[in-house]
Amino acid sequence: TENLKFLCSYGGRILPRYPDGKLRYHGGETRVLSVGRSASFAELSVKLAEMCGTPVSLRCQLPAEDLDALVSVTSDEDLANLIEEYDRASSLKIRAFLSASKNPKSPPPSPASYYSTSPKS
């Protein structure tokens, strides 16, 4: 099984570049995270939280798109659609931007916590 590589940036900010105003990521850290293609969103979330030391939200840049068009990844379906877009573009690394979740003091999520029976809003 082939692995997916996420180029993860966190701890910085997306800012306009002088003089053209094109968005870029400034500050923070950037690391590569490798996960199996069969990894669920919950498993990916746990690995991202371990890497950052806190639960994080995941937004990714689509191939051939700028940073002003990041997509949020919040479910297995979102992750599958993202992988499909990168497969279609034959891109090797998924560019990911992480930000602290709303409750940064909570422990990293367990994979089971993403399988709730309550309806989505």
Side-chain angles (χ1 to χ4, degrees), residues 29-80:
E29 295 187 44
T30 300
R31 295 180 56 194
V32 175
L33 177 68
S34 180
V35 297
R37 278 189 165 269
S38 63
S40 67
F41 173 72
E43 293 166 330
L44 176 60
S45 294
V46 168
K47 287 187 176 258
L48 292 170
E50 288 171 352
M51 182 177 71
C52 296
T54 185
V56 293
S57 298
L58 173 62
R59 294 183 303 154
C60 294
Q61 183 177 4
L62 293 176
E65 294 290 333
D66 291 327
L67 294 182
D68 59 350
L70 297 179
V71 294
S72 295
V73 179
T74 61
S75 67
D76 287 335
E77 182 180 359
D78 291 345
L79 182 58

Side-chain angles (χ1 to χ4, degrees), residues 95-106:
R95 188 73 170 104
F97 298 90
L98 312 176
S99 58
S101 291
K102 296 195 188 286
N103 187 0
K105 295 187 185 203
S106 64

Side-chain angles (χ1 to χ4, degrees), residues 15-25 66-68:
L15 299 169
R17 179 175 57 195
Y18 180 81
D20 63 5
K22 186 172 179 173
L23 296 178
R24 65 179 174 82
Y25 195 81
D66 291 327
L67 294 182
D68 59 350

